[in-house]
Amino acid sequence: MKKVRTKQVIPLFMAGFAVVFGWVGVFKLGFWNPDQGPAPGFFPSIMAVVMFLTSILAFIQSFKEDGTVKYEKQELLVIASGAGIILSTFIIGLVGSCFLYIILWLKVFEKASWKDTLIILAVVAFIVIGVFGLWLGIQFPLGLMEYIL
Amino acid sequence: MQNLQLLLHGFQTALTFQNVGAALIGAVLGLIVGAMPGIGSLAGVALLLPLTYKFNPTTAIIMLGALYYSNMYGGSFSAILLNIPGDSPAIMTALDGYPMASKKKRPGQALLTADLSSFIGGSIGICILTFTGPALANLGLKFGPSEMTALLLIAMTSISWLVGENPTKGVVITMFGIILASIGMDTLSGVPRYDFGNMYLLGGIPFTPYIIGAVGFSQVIKLIMERDQGKGGAATDMKLTIRGSMITKHDFRRLLPPALRSGFLGTFIGVLPGAGATTGSFMGYAVQKKMKSEEELGTGAIEGIASCEAANNAAAAGAFAPLLALGIPGSGTGAVLLGGLMMWGLNPGPLLFTNEPDFTWGLIASLFLSNILTLAIAVCVIPFLLKILSVPVKYMIPCITVVCVVGSYSSSYSMYGVLIMFLSGIAGYLLDKNDYPTAPMLLSFVLAPLLESNMRKAFIISGGSLDIFFTRPITCVLMVVFFGVVATPVVKSMMKNKTAGKASK
C-alpha cells in the first residue's frame, strides 16, 4: 500500500486548470465584445475564476483533513486492463480485445474454471455482437485486421 | 370535454391489432435500448426510423413514441443495478437507486419504485398533454433566453444541495464540470474553444462516454476490493421474484407525494425548449431535496428515486406538446421524431390537431397504452434483472468493463469516446477517493451549455444590459425565486447563530 497525498495534489491541479482556462478565455477568446455582448470566453472565464478561488480554499482546507488516501494495487490493475483494451484495439480490434481481456482476466487473475469463463464470454459476446453489432449496427474497429481483410 | 371525445376516438385508432403490436415492440426495444449504456433514446429512435418507413404514419409514430417513452424506464435499470446510468436522465436515479439496491439490499423494491414512479409521472404528463397540449406549448414559447437563464440559474444553484459535507469541494467540482463542457466549438459564434489544436477536442467532450466513465468505470475500479464478497452485493438473501420485490404500503405512501409533485413539474420542464428529461429529472430531485424525506437523499431513499423517475417520464410526455402543436422539437430525440413526421408527409404545427386528428389523438392514446404496457413489461422483467445481481462480483467486473468500453464506443463511433470514458473513469475514481462528489460535475456538465447559450442570447438581446432579467414578468419572478434560493441558507445560518448567541447569554 502506498500513501499518496492526493488531497493536496487535486486542488492544486484544479487551480492550475482554472488558470489555463481563465487565461485562454480572457486573452485568447475574448471576454466582452462592445457590439455583440459576451464573447466566447465570457462564461468559462467567470467560472474559472470561481474555480481557482475555491481550489485554493480546498487546498488550504486539505491540510486540516484527517487521514491519507490509500490506493490498492488491485485497483490499479483495473486501470491497467482498461488501458490494455484501448491499446490492443489498434492491433486486434475492439471486439477481439474485449474477448481477450475477458479470458485473461478470468483465467489468469480470477483463476476461474473454463466452464465459467466460456459462459461469461458467451454472455458478453451476445451483448457485444448480438445487441450492439447486429441489432444496433455498430461497426467496431478491427485494428490491423482491417488492413489484412 | 371535446378533448376527451377526441381521446376516445384516438383509442379506437390506437387499439387496433397492428398499433398495439407496434406499441409493444417499441416498448420492449425502448426498455432494452434504455438499459444499454451509451445508446439512449436518440440513437434508438434514429435506428428505428428507417424501419418504420413502410408503416402508415400513425403506426410508425406509435412505435417510435413507445420506444422514446419506455426508454426512460430502461435507463433506470442499469443505474439501479450497476450504478451505470443507461442515459443522462438516469444520473439522478443512480444517486439513491444504487445505494438502495446495494447497501439496503432492496434491489427489487428499488426497481419497482422506479417503475411505479415512472408510470405515475408519465400518466400525469400524458393527461396534461391531452387536455392542455396546444396551450402548454404556447406557454413554453413564452420562455425566451432570459426566462431560461433564470430557470437554469435556479437549477444550477440547486446543485449545491448535492455537494455533500464539504461545500468548497462541491463548488470546485461543479466549476470543473462547467469548464469541461465549454471545450469544443462555441455554439453561438462557431469559434473553436479550448481545443489546443486537437481535432478531437474541437468536437468537445462527448457526454455519454464521459458519464459512463465517471460513474461506471470508476465504480468497477472500486468494486475490485469487494470481489471476495461473493455475489453482486445486493441479491444474496432476497427472493428473485416479483412478489419478493413488492413494496409495502408504507413504501408506497412515501413514493406517492414526490411522484405526483415531480409529475407536474417534469411535464412543465419537458415543454420548455431544450430543457429535456435530464433537466426535469434533476429539478424533480432538487425540489425533493427541499422537501421532507423519511431517509436522507443519496442514502437509498425511496423519495429520491420517485422524484427523478417521475419527472423524467413526465418530461418525455411533455416534450410532445411543442413537437405536435408547434413543430418545435425540445430535444435531439424530438428533432428525429419531427424528421419522421415530415418524412411521412405530416406538417407539425397548430393545424396538426385539426387536420390530422386520427394521427394526433391516436399518438396521445398510444402513449397511455405504452405507459401501461411498459409498466407491465418492466415489472415482469424484474426477476430476470435481479439475476444480474446474483452473479459474483469477480465475474461482474470484466463484464461491466466491456459494457463500458463498447457503450462508449457506440455512442461516439470513435476510440476517442473510449479514451474519454477511460480518463473520466480514473478522474471519477480519484475524486471519489478524495471525497469530491462526482454528481455535481456530471449535472453541471449537462446544464452549463444550456445556461451559457441562453445567458449570452439574453445579453445579446438586451445589448449587454442586465435589465432584461428584471423587466420581463416571468424572468423577474424566476429571478426572485433564484435570489430566494441563494439567500435562504445564508439567512437560516444567521438566524441559527443569533439563536445560539441568545441561548449562550
Side-chain angles (χ1 to χ4, degrees):
Chain A
M1 275 186 282
K2 275 186 177 178
K3 287 181 181 177
V4 187
R5 298 184 74 81
T6 41
K7 285 201 171 176
Q8 278 86 47
V9 175
I10 288 177
L12 279 182
F13 170 80
M14 293 289 187
F17 191 85
V19 168
V20 173
F21 275 70
W23 187 83
V24 173
V26 174
F27 296 105
K28 295 238 169 160
L29 299 170
F31 188 78
W32 192 272
N33 188 323
D35 303 322
Q36 296 171 334
F42 172 75
F43 189 71
S45 305
I46 296 171
M47 298 302 142
V49 171
V50 179
M51 185 174 165
F52 176 75
L53 295 174
T54 45
S55 298
I56 296 299
L57 189 61
F59 177 70
I60 296 165
Q61 285 176 349
S62 68
F63 290 101
K64 292 176 191 166
E65 285 181 43
D66 298 328
T68 48
V69 180
K70 290 170 188 167
Y71 297 94
E72 306 290 340
K73 265 185 187 172
Q74 288 177 331
E75 293 173 327
L76 300 178
L77 197 66
V78 181
I79 297 172
S81 64
I85 294 175
I86 294 172
L87 291 175
S88 63
T89 296
F90 294 100
I91 302 165
I92 57 170
L94 188 66
V95 177
S97 299
C98 290
F99 290 173
L100 184 66
Y101 158 71
I102 295 268
I103 296 169
L104 287 177
W105 184 273
L106 292 176
K107 288 304 294 176
V108 178
F109 183 64
E110 298 291 0
K111 309 262 186 274
S113 65
W114 272 111
K115 187 189 162 194
D116 287 351
T117 307
L118 290 175
I119 291 171
I120 301 288
L121 197 62
V123 172
V124 171
F126 172 74
I127 296 170
V128 176
I129 299 173
V131 179
F132 283 94
L134 296 176
W135 181 45
L136 296 170
I138 309 289
Q139 292 198 330
F140 294 109
L142 296 169
L144 290 178
M145 292 287 283
E146 207 163 330
Y147 298 101
I148 296 166
L149 289 170
Chain B
M1 199 62 194
Q2 193 197 356
N3 285 9
L4 209 59
Q5 280 173 345
L6 289 164
L7 181 67
L8 287 174
H9 178 69
F11 270 112
Q12 284 177 347
T13 310
L15 286 174
T16 61
F17 181 73
Q18 190 185 8
N19 290 344
V20 172
L24 194 63
I25 294 169
V28 173
L29 293 180
L31 281 174
I32 298 171
V33 165
M36 289 283 163
I39 301 298
S41 62
L42 177 60
V45 171
L47 285 165
L48 206 60
L49 189 64
L51 302 179
T52 60
Y53 190 67
K54 284 184 180 171
F55 295 166
N56 69 60
T58 312
T59 308
I61 195 74
I62 282 175
M63 187 189 257
L64 291 177
L67 186 143
Y68 171 51
Y69 190 74
S70 61
N71 193 77
M72 297 295 148
Y73 278 75
S76 65
F77 292 169
S78 48
I80 289 170
L81 299 176
L82 305 171
N83 201 20
I84 305 176
D87 51 6
S88 52
I91 299 173
M92 307 310 297
T93 313
L95 289 179
D96 278 284
Y98 187 68
M100 188 170 169
S102 58
K103 288 182 186 158
K104 298 199 168 158
K105 311 242 180 250
R106 300 184 74 200
Q109 283 77 4
L111 286 168
L112 196 62
T113 301
D115 290 343
L116 288 174
S117 314
S118 297
F119 178 77
I120 295 168
S123 301
I124 292 170
I126 306 164
C127 285
I128 295 174
L129 179 69
T130 305
F131 294 104
T132 61
L136 204 61
N138 282 323
L139 178 69
L141 272 190
K142 288 198 166 56
F143 272 67
S146 63
E147 286 81 6
M148 285 301 289
T149 304
L151 187 75
L152 287 161
L153 277 174
I154 297 169
M156 290 293 257
T157 317
S158 309
I159 291 179
S160 63
W161 299 331
L162 301 169
V163 296
E165 288 172 8
N166 190 330
T168 313
K169 285 183 175 179
V171 177
V172 171
I173 209 70
T174 305
M175 296 300 133
F176 185 58
I178 293 174
I179 288 181
L180 284 181
S182 66
I183 294 174
M185 195 83 81
D186 175 29
T187 48
L188 286 187
S189 63
V191 173
R193 291 197 303 191
Y194 306 111
D195 62 330
F196 303 105
N198 185 304
M199 70 165 197
Y200 290 109
L201 287 179
L202 190 62
I205 293 181
F207 177 67
T208 309
Y210 171 66
I211 188 181
I212 291 176
V215 182
F217 190 59
S218 68
Q219 174 71 18
V220 177
I221 302 172
K222 286 177 265 172
L223 212 58
I224 190 90
M225 299 313 294
E226 295 168 24
R227 56 190 259 279
D228 297 327
Q229 282 181 6
K231 291 178 180 178
T236 41
D237 49 4
M238 76 163 292
K239 288 178 186 172
L240 303 178
T241 58
I242 297 173
R243 192 182 284 260
S245 308
M246 280 297 156
I247 55 171
T248 60
K249 268 186 186 173
H250 178 68
D251 289 339
F252 188 74
R253 274 200 291 269
R254 287 174 62 188
L255 171 161
L256 201 56
L260 291 173
R261 197 184 309 117
S262 290
F264 288 100
L265 179 71
T267 309
F268 176 68
I269 301 283
V271 171
L272 301 178
T278 309
T279 315
S281 158
F282 173 67
M283 289 297 275
Y285 193 85
V287 168
Q288 184 55 37
K289 194 87 180 172
K290 278 279 178 193
M291 300 286 169
K292 210 174 179 182
S293 301
E294 197 172 294
E295 291 163 287
E296 199 185 335
L297 294 199
T299 60
I302 284 177
E303 293 87 347
I305 303 173
S307 59
C308 52
E309 274 302 310
N312 70 35
N313 273 61
F320 277 100
L323 179 70
L324 296 175
L326 302 168
I328 298 170
S331 62
T333 315
V336 178
L337 288 172
L338 180 68
L341 294 177
M342 289 170 168
M343 187 177 86
W344 301 312
L346 298 164
N347 288 318
L351 294 176
L352 187 72
F353 278 83
T354 42
N355 288 352
E356 303 283 349
D358 280 358
F359 171 81
T360 319
W361 290 101
L363 170 65
I364 293 174
S366 79
L367 286 178
F368 279 104
L369 186 69
S370 306
N371 204 22
I372 295 164
L373 284 175
T374 315
L375 177 71
I377 299 166
V379 171
C380 289
V381 297
I382 285 178
F384 301 102
L385 290 170
L386 290 180
K387 281 189 180 160
I388 294 172
L389 295 176
S390 62
V391 177
V393 174
K394 62 180 183 178
Y395 294 155
M396 291 283 278
I397 290 169
C399 292
I400 301 175
T401 306
V402 170
V403 170
C404 288
V405 170
V406 173
S408 50
Y409 180 84
S410 307
S411 63
S412 59
Y413 285 95
S414 160
M415 283 306 286
Y416 170 60
V418 182
L419 188 67
I420 290 293
M421 180 279 296
F422 178 68
L423 293 176
S424 66
I426 298 172
Y429 159 73
L430 286 173
L431 291 169
D432 188 71
K433 275 264 178 187
N434 290 277
D435 303 324
Y436 284 85
T438 47
M441 176 176 77
L442 301 173
L443 290 162
S444 60
F445 188 86
V446 181
L447 297 178
L450 272 177
L451 174 62
E452 186 191 359
S453 71
N454 281 296
M455 184 188 277
R456 283 174 61 190
K457 278 179 199 164
F459 273 123
I460 290 168
I461 292 167
S462 69
S465 168
L466 280 169
D467 288 354
I468 193 167
F469 296 109
F470 303 99
T471 48
R472 293 165 67 101
I474 299 175
T475 315
C476 192
V477 170
L478 289 170
M479 287 305 280
V480 169
V481 175
F482 166 66
F483 286 118
V485 170
V486 174
T488 306
V490 182
V491 174
K492 265 187 182 173
S493 167
M494 283 167 68
M495 298 272 277
K496 213 174 178 181
N497 287 343
K498 213 173 180 181
T499 320
K502 273 183 187 172
S504 64
K505 277 178 189 174

